[in-house]
Each structure stands twice: as C-alpha cells, then as structure tokens.
C-alpha cells in the first residue's frame, strides 16, 4: 500500500514535468487537487477490488484486470474533479499518469510473482515433464505445477493435436506438435514424466499415447476426473495412473443428473446392499443431492460400518446416515425397517451375482435374488414408497444360468407389483461392472501379481463393461425417469473381448505378453459366449434419455412366480435350477414340471 502511494503521487508529478516544457498549464492548486483526488480514489478502488488482499505470487489475468479497473476508474474520477473545480481536463497529463500506474503498479506485482517462481527453482531437482493437452486442463496443470512449493515436476512443453496451437507458447511453454512428436520430445528435453491432461480424450487416442509412453520407458499419468476435482475429492495436480477403465474402447458415459435433485433432495432414501461396490457408490452419489436421511441396509457389519464412517465424515451435520444390519431374506426385518423409516426412494442393490457359484448353489440364488427381492418390494409397496429401483443384470436376457434366471424372475416380481401398487417399480440392467466384487479385473490383477498366467475362458468371449460410477449414475437416473414398469438399459457401446482386457491390464502393470502368459480355461457352467441387453420383444429403437434405452419386458406368468416362492422350501437344488430356467425363459409351465 505504501509503495502504491508513492507510485500514485509520483505519477502526477512526473507527468507534470514531462509536459512543463511545452505547456504552462499547472498551478500549485491544480497539481494539489489532482494529486489528492488520484491518491484518495486509487485507494478507494483498491479497497473495493481487494488489491491488498491478493497473494500476488499466484497472480493471473484476473488480478491484472482488477488493477486495470482500479487505475482507470481513479483516473476518470480525477478527470471529473478537474472539470468541476478547474473547468478543464488535462487529458495528456492524465494519460501519462494512467500508463505509469499500469506499468508500475502491475510491474511491482509481476516482479513479486517472478521472485516467487525463481526462489522455488533454487536447490530443487525437478523432473522435466511433458504435458499432453494444451487446453484449459493442461494450462491449469502447468500453472499448478509451477506454483507448487513442494513440486517435483517441472513442465517444459505441451503436445496437442490442435494444429492451430503448434509453435505457440502457452504460460511460457512451447506447444511442440501432435502426438507424433512425443518420442522426439522425450529425447530432446530429457523428459522423465508425462501427464495426460485432456478430459475429453477418446479411449482409442489414450491407448495410442499410453503405448508410445510405454515404448519410451516413461511413466504416464492422467489428471483426475473433473467431477472428483469439483466435489473436492481430489485436486487437479493429484495425478493418477492410467487404469484399465480408461482403455475400454469407448468414451465414459456422463449422464445428465440435474433432474435427480427434486426427487432426492430432502427425502429419505434407503439402499439395500449398501456395503457392496455398487451400493456404496450409489450412496456416495446420492449424498451429492442432499437427502434428508440415508438408510444403509446390509447383512455384513464390516462393509456397512466402513461406508457409514465414510459418509459421516464427509457429510457430517448435513445428512443423517442410519446403518441397519439386516438380511433381505428376513421378511419381518425388511418390513420393520420400512415401517420405522418410511423411505421415499428405495434402491435395491443386494444380490448374489457370481454366475458359476450360483450354478452350484441355486437355492441360495433364489433365496436372495428372488425371495429377498420380493420381501423388500412387498415392504416398499405396503409402506407407500414413491419409487423402487431394482438393480438387475444383462444376464437376465434369455438367461442360460441360475443367476440370470433369478434376476429375470426378480424383474417379473416388481413388474407384477407395479401393476397393482401406487409405488413406481422399475429395473436397471447392468453389464459387467469393472472393479466390483467378483469382476474379472481384481482376479486378473491377482494373477499378474503372482507372475501369471492370466486365465481367460475363451478368446472369442465378449462382455459389455461399465465403470462403478457409471453404474451408480444409471441407477439414480432411472429413479428420476421412472413412470413404473420400465427396464432401463445403459448404452455401453460395443462389447469388449475379455482377452483384450487381459492384454491391456498386462501392459498397464508394466509387463509384456511374453512375461505374463494368457491361458484359455474353457467356458464355465452357465456362461454365455456373448451377452445381450434387451431381447427382440423388449427393444425400443430410440433412447428415452441420452445413452439410456428403455424396454417394456413382457410378463405373463404371475401365478408361477408365486407358486415357486410358495413351494420353494420343498424343492431340491436340481429341481430349483430346472424351474427357474424354465420360468425365466417362458418354457414349460413349472406347475406341470412339479407334477412330473
């Protein structure tokens, strides 16, 4: 403030002496009035724009704009005062004062910023870093790296496929060219680190870049997802390794979930299976919309404890989190919880989902996926829940296994209830969820850690894949779109070969296909070679919402579902397996099967 005061007063006198040889315009009174006015107004506007509350070592265009406003407005005020008291305005004098203000006041702060950057470089061994992407995200990363007191990376250049940026400089760093110059840049600048900073980068391009980095022996990392930065989960300079989810071969699906707020905010929401990988992520996503109360239902105390602690720590005081230990197979417990908390929305994520395991345990699959679903759905109907969302599976389409059949029967149960209930019952079908319990990725990682081999059932086997956040968003979005009776399906692009996932994961783990072998074990009991999302009679050509399709599954066998539940305890395991497959695929009537 003291330094600015000298600059403000000095600029008036300097401009006066510059013009004195040619103009004898200034009197002592004129000079005094101009100096006092400029001094007072400058400090008033500096206070208004908080110029003395800025950390100038981190100054940017925003701070320069505030200096411009404060200086220009103070000069204008001085011109007005001159006109009022002196009946004239000394434009040339004020023009010189204005330029000196900008030059000196801005220059002093620029020098402070340069001093900060220079001190940070002293006695620090920094790793030369190449940033892929010279857009807004890349520029942000470069600035963050330059300003970080504890940084270990020194950004030296950008690479970007936008030819309009080539040979330009952005925040003092050259844009060298497109991805074809990455190899040459690594050698030229001695690059030790590559940061990929393009949030909209296509998966295929990411795979190309990752392959180039891998061949050059340089570790590549990627900036966190924008959503994680926005919610405060991560900062922009907390880079992460490239994961197999990034190489799915399609763009991650971002759903527009703004419509969710009105049906979640201030409401009571219940999630079954809340300790599982999908259920816990649903809870995290829901909390962003400020429900009044979140009921966590699960039968595993450890998993419920962990998600409860996480949510309590993050949303303490704003959301009431209630942990409930209970098994969905316990009908009276489900009714007791529904009656006590009267939820507005229920997300039913609890299920047995491991295909080969359920082939050996068909009765357990029915108890959990069929009877458990019926218990929760009946309780929701009895206590007038607004919306009930069932998490189903793509394996429910033309099912060839017990798990898929029980999921299809669960869909039948809620469709039956939707016809007679005030509650809106809907189902959401997932593909395989990367990183969830029982998915192939944790298994492949474990096999790689043990030195291989990776076991793949068949080289032609394909699956639809989605990430845990995508799956969770789809569930929540389905609740907002629900009219009742629908089966929602996410457009997951083209199916992915399991063997391609295995190869990507081997590369990401730092190995070659020669070091970690892939062995083919053959198709396991109940598995399909290819999965489907909707069968022929369910397909609707157009999505109801971007990336979301809807199918009205045909349901004609209500009595048989009730019959299966009623007679379940008297049936043997092999009988249960036969019955659920026939029922789900609309084959022989199970009453006739029982009579046989």
């Amino acid at each position: 403030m003291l330094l600015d005061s000298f600059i403000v007063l000095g600029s008036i006198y300097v401009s006066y002496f510059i013009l004195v040889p040619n103009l004898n315009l200034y009197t002592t009174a004129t000079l005094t009035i101009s100096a006092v006015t400029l001094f007072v107004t400058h400090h008033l506007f500096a206070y208004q724009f908080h110029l003395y509350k800025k950390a100038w070592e981190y100054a940017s265009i925003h701070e320069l704009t505030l200096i411009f406003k404060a200086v220009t407005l103070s000069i204008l005020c001085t011109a007005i005062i001159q006109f009022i008291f002196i009946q004239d305005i000394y434009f040339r004098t004020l023009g010189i004062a204005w330029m000196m203000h900008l030059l000196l006041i801005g220059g002093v702060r620029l020098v402070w910023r340069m001093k900060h950057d220079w001190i940070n470089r002293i006695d620090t061994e920094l790793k030369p870093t190449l940033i892929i992407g010279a857009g807004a995200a890349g520029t942000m990363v470069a600035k963050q790296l330059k300003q970080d007191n504890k940084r270990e990376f020194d950004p030296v250049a950008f690479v970007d496929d936008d030819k309009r940026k080539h040979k330009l400089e952005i925040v003092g760093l050259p844009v060298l060219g497109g991805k074809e110059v990455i190899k040459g840049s690594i050698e030229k600048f001695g690059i030790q680190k590559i940061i990929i900073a393009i949030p909209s980068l296509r998966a295929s391009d990411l795979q190309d870049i990752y392959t180039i980095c891998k061949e050059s022996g340089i570790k590549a990392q990627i900036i966190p997802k924008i959503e994680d930065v926005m919610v405060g989960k991560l900062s922009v300079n907390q880079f992460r390794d490239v994961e197999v989810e990034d190489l799915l071969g399609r763009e991650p699906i971002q759903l527009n979930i703004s419509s969710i707020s009105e049906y979640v905010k201030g409401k009571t929401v219940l999630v079954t299976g809340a300790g599982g990988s999908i259920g816990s992520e649903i809870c995290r996503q829901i909390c962003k919309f400020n429900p009044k109360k979140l009921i966590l239902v699960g039968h595993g105390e450890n998993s419920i404890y962990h998600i409860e602690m996480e949510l309590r720590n993050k949303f303490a005081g704003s959301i009431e989190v209630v942990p409930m230990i209970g098994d969905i197979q316990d009908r009276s417990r489900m009714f007791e919880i529904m009656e006590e908390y009267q939820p507005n929305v229920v997300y039913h994520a609890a299920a047995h989902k491991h295909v080969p395991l359920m082939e050996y345990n068909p009765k357990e699959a029915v108890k959990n996926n069929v009877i458990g679903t019926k218990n929760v759905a009946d309780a929701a109907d009895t206590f007038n829940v607004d919306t009930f969302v069932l998490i189903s599976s793509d394996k429910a389409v033309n099912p060839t296994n017990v798990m898929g059949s029980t999921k299809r029967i669960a869909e039948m149960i809620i469709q039956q209830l939707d016809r007679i209930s005030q509650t809106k019952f809907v189902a959401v079908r997932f593909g395989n969820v990367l990183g969830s319990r029982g998915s192939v990725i944790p298994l492949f990682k474990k096999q790689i850690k043990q030195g291989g081999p990776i076991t793949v059932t068949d080289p032609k086997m394909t699956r639809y894949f989605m990430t845990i956040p995508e799956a969770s968003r789809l569930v929540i979005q389905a609740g907002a779109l629900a009219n009742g009776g629908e089966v929602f399906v996410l457009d997951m692009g083209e199916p992915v070969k399991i063997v391609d996932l295995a190869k990507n994961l081997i590369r990401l783990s730092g190995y070659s296909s020669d070091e970690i072998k892939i062995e083919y074990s053959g198709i396991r009991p109940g598995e399909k070679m290819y999965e489907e999302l909707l069968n022929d009679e369910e397909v609707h050509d157009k999505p109801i919402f971007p990336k979301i399709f809807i199918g009205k599954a045909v349901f004609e066998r209500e009595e048989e579902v009730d019959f299966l539940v009623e007679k379940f305890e008297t049936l043997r395991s092999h009988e249960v397996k036969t019955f659920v497959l026939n029922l789900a695929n609309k084959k022989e009537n199970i009453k006739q099967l029982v009579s046989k």
Side-chain angles (χ1 to χ4, degrees):
M1 190 184 292
L2 183 63
L3 188 58
D4 281 0
S5 298
F6 281 116
I7 291 171
V8 169
L9 294 174
S11 65
I12 282 290
Y13 286 93
V14 169
S15 63
Y16 165 72
F17 283 114
I18 288 174
L19 294 174
V20 159
N22 301 316
L23 297 170
N24 189 17
L25 300 175
Y26 268 41
T27 63
T28 303
T30 300
L31 197 58
T32 302
I33 289 172
S34 299
V36 170
T37 302
L38 192 58
F39 180 85
V40 172
T41 55
H42 169 82
H43 284 295
L44 283 174
F45 287 118
Y47 175 81
Q48 174 71 27
F49 296 121
H50 306 289
L51 292 189
Y52 301 117
K53 293 185 178 181
K54 302 292 181 185
W56 291 100
E57 59 267 35
Y58 305 115
S60 63
I61 295 296
H62 175 67
E63 281 73 24
L64 287 177
T65 303
L66 295 181
I67 291 174
F68 176 83
K69 289 179 179 178
V71 169
T72 303
L73 289 171
S74 62
I75 291 292
L76 288 175
C77 288
T78 304
I80 292 170
I81 293 298
Q82 284 184 349
F83 181 77
I84 293 173
F85 289 98
I86 307 170
Q87 305 300 311
D88 201 355
I89 299 175
Y90 301 103
F91 289 104
R92 279 180 286 183
T93 305
L94 292 177
I96 293 172
W98 178 80
M99 286 188 288
M100 290 184 65
H101 273 201
L102 287 180
L103 178 65
L104 295 174
I105 292 176
V108 165
R109 286 154 174 82
L110 178 63
V111 168
W112 190 261
R113 164 85 184 258
M114 292 171 63
K115 168 181 167 290
H116 176 267
D117 289 347
W118 179 75
I119 289 174
N120 281 347
R121 290 178 176 268
I122 297 176
D123 298 327
T124 306
E125 293 185 6
L126 301 176
K127 296 177 181 177
T129 300
L130 183 67
I131 300 175
I132 310 294
T139 304
M140 190 187 305
V141 168
K143 288 179 178 179
Q144 288 280 346
L145 289 178
K146 285 184 172 185
Q147 295 172 2
D148 188 357
N149 289 329
K150 298 179 180 179
R151 65 194 175 116
E152 56 177 312
F153 307 120
D154 182 28
V156 295
F158 288 105
V159 165
D160 197 295
D161 283 337
D162 187 349
K163 293 182 179 179
R164 294 172 298 177
K165 296 177 181 177
H166 294 177
K167 299 184 179 179
L168 297 179
E169 286 193 0
I170 298 176
V171 293
L173 305 178
V175 182
L176 304 175
K179 61 186 176 187
E180 69 278 356
V181 306
I182 293 176
K183 279 187 178 178
S185 303
I186 290 172
E187 297 173 4
K188 181 179 179 180
F189 292 95
I191 298 297
Q192 298 180 36
K193 183 81 170 181
I194 291 178
I195 296 170
I196 302 169
I198 310 177
S200 59
L201 186 65
R202 292 179 299 181
S204 56
D205 290 334
L206 176 59
Q207 192 151 8
D208 292 342
I209 292 171
Y210 184 80
T211 301
I212 295 171
C213 298
K214 180 68 179 170
E215 291 172 353
S216 304
I218 304 299
K219 185 174 183 180
Q221 288 188 302
I222 194 166
I223 61 171
K225 296 175 182 175
I226 294 299
E227 61 203 43
D228 290 337
V229 176
M230 295 298 289
V231 301
K233 196 174 178 181
L234 295 170
S235 66
V236 73
N237 58 348
Q238 287 181 283
F239 313 113
R240 62 180 178 86
D241 292 341
V242 180
E243 299 286 353
V244 71
E245 295 96 307
D246 301 312
L247 307 178
L248 274 176
R250 63 168 173 81
E251 307 315 308
I253 293 165
Q254 302 292 333
L255 301 178
N256 181 1
I257 50 180
S258 59
S259 60
I260 295 164
S261 181
E262 61 186 67
Y263 95 100
V264 172
K265 186 176 182 180
K267 304 290 180 63
T268 298
V269 179
L270 185 147
V271 181
T272 68
S277 47
I278 301 296
S280 60
E281 183 63 24
I282 289 173
C283 293
R284 295 183 191 99
Q285 299 274 351
I286 288 170
C287 285
K288 297 175 186 177
F289 299 96
N290 298 313
K292 176 184 177 183
K293 191 179 296 185
L294 181 59
I295 315 300
L296 313 175
V297 178
H299 68 87
E301 60 174 337
N302 279 337
S303 57
I304 292 295
Y305 169 78
H306 286 304
I307 187 63
E308 179 206 3
M309 288 298 102
E310 178 187 333
L311 298 178
R312 283 189 188 278
N313 290 336
K314 193 168 184 180
F315 300 99
S318 60
I319 300 171
E320 183 182 352
V321 179
V322 182
M324 288 280 106
I325 303 300
D327 193 330
I328 59 172
Q329 297 176 32
D330 185 344
R331 186 175 179 85
S332 62
R333 177 63 171 152
M334 293 302 103
F335 273 72
E336 179 186 330
I337 293 172
M338 291 281 185
E339 183 178 20
E340 182 175 357
Y341 292 101
Q342 299 286 322
N344 304 102
V345 184
V346 172
Y347 298 101
H348 180 43
H352 285 327
K353 59 186 179 181
H354 198 280
V355 171
L357 199 58
M358 293 304 103
E359 289 300 296
Y360 293 107
N361 300 275
K363 293 194 74 170
E364 294 303 313
V366 171
K367 278 197 287 187
N368 215 52
N369 296 356
V370 176
I371 297 176
T373 296
K374 183 170 175 55
N375 291 339
V376 180
D378 284 345
D381 171 44
T382 300
F383 296 104
N384 300 314
V385 169
D386 295 332
T387 306
F388 180 102
V389 183
L390 165 71
I391 296 180
S392 188
S393 167
D394 56 0
K395 294 169 180 61
V397 183
N398 299 322
T400 59
N401 52 63
V402 170
M403 196 285 278
S405 297
T406 57
K407 280 295 190 180
R408 178 64 193 114
I409 295 169
E411 291 178 359
M412 292 178 178
I413 289 170
I414 67 162
Q415 287 176 316
Q416 177 183 346
L417 274 171
D418 185 72
R419 295 178 179 182
I420 60 174
S421 174
Q422 295 299 311
T423 300
K424 292 181 287 188
F425 287 91
V426 297
V428 181
R429 284 183 187 161
F430 287 164
N432 292 265
V433 180
L434 287 170
S436 65
R437 296 173 192 171
S439 71
V440 294
I441 301 302
L443 173 63
F444 286 171
K445 286 181 176 179
K446 183 179 179 181
Q447 291 174 333
I448 290 171
K449 191 175 181 180
Q450 293 171 346
I454 285 185
T455 54
V456 176
T457 51
D458 190 282
K460 296 180 181 179
M461 181 172 282
T462 62
R463 291 291 183 267
Y464 291 99
F465 283 100
M466 62 198 306
T467 63
I468 291 176
E470 282 179 320
S472 305
R473 291 189 201 112
L474 176 60
V475 174
I476 300 171
Q477 185 72 70
L481 297 173
N483 289 317
E486 300 96 339
V487 175
F488 293 101
V489 178
L490 180 66
D491 177 5
M492 292 179 283
E494 294 300 316
V496 178
K497 282 188 175 181
I498 302 292
V499 69
D500 290 342
L501 267 185
K503 290 175 180 177
N504 279 334
L505 197 56
I506 290 171
R507 289 209 317 272
L508 287 170
S509 301
Y511 299 100
S512 68
S513 55
D514 294 328
E515 295 172 292
I516 302 291
K517 301 292 184 182
I518 295 176
E519 290 184 356
Y520 298 105
S521 58
I523 295 179
R524 298 175 295 179
E527 283 190 320
K528 286 179 172 181
M529 187 70 76
Y530 312 103
E531 298 288 7
E532 306 161 272
L533 296 173
L534 290 168
N535 64 34
D536 293 338
E537 57 190 12
E538 295 175 329
V539 173
H540 285 205
D541 294 333
K542 294 182 180 179
I544 188 175
F545 196 79
K547 300 294 185 180
I548 296 182
F549 287 84
I550 182 177
K552 276 280 186 182
V554 179
F555 176 57
E556 302 168 344
R557 310 184 78 171
E558 301 175 15
E559 292 183 4
E560 292 179 70
V561 173
D562 294 337
F563 184 78
L564 174 64
V565 173
E566 180 185 343
K567 299 293 185 181
F568 172 74
E569 292 297 340
T570 66
L571 302 176
R572 298 185 181 93
S573 288
H574 71 275
E575 293 173 329
V576 168
K577 186 173 182 178
T578 302
F579 294 167
V580 295
L581 284 166
N582 276 274
L583 177 56
N585 286 290
K586 302 179 186 176
K587 293 183 179 178
E588 191 169 0
N589 188 295
I590 65 169
K591 289 186 178 181
Q592 296 172 351
L593 286 171
V594 170
S595 66
K596 291 179 182 179

